[in-house]
Amino acid sequence: MLDCFTKFNLGKANSNSGLFIKSLIVCNDSGNATLLDVQTVRSSATFKQFHQKSIAAGATVDLLNQHDGVTGGMIVLQESDVLKVQANAANQVHITVADMEVTKGQL
């Protein structure tokens, strides 16, 4: 579960590889809506994928495959990139990540 005061590092690409985040499933099993931030950190730069994304009470959402015309696809992490997620309240969401690591020789 996410701690509202800590950003969790969900994925990090290893040296000489890339990490493809294919699915980011968020389950809010609380009775309240939760706001979620998802971002990629590369060196000193931060790229936000979602900012204060509302996850309804009791809902399960795949953030990368919503078919809403806005999102869809995957997040690609380069070597040493870090995927971070933070919720606005503790103990409300569970996150499942489906990823695939590819070494540079396989690209």
Side-chain angles (χ1 to χ4, degrees), residues 27-76:
C27 175
N28 181 355
D29 63 357
S30 75
N32 300 305
T34 299
L35 298 177
L36 201 66
D37 289 339
V38 179
Q39 59 190 16
T40 300
V41 176
R42 177 176 299 149
S43 299
S44 60
T46 299
F47 306 95
K48 291 190 177 187
Q49 281 80 33
F50 296 94
H51 179 67
Q52 296 187 353
K53 173 71 174 171
S54 182
I55 309 298
T60 299
V61 178
D62 186 343
L63 294 178
L64 300 182
N65 297 292
Q66 293 185 37
H67 307 293
D68 58 5
V70 177
T71 59
M74 66 180 75
I75 297 171
V76 179

Side-chain angles (χ1 to χ4, degrees), residues 84-102:
K84 296 186 175 190
V85 176
Q86 184 174 17
N88 71 326
N91 300 321
Q92 289 190 356
V93 296
H94 302 272
I95 297 179
T96 304
V97 176
D99 62 29
M100 177 178 67
E101 185 174 16
V102 179

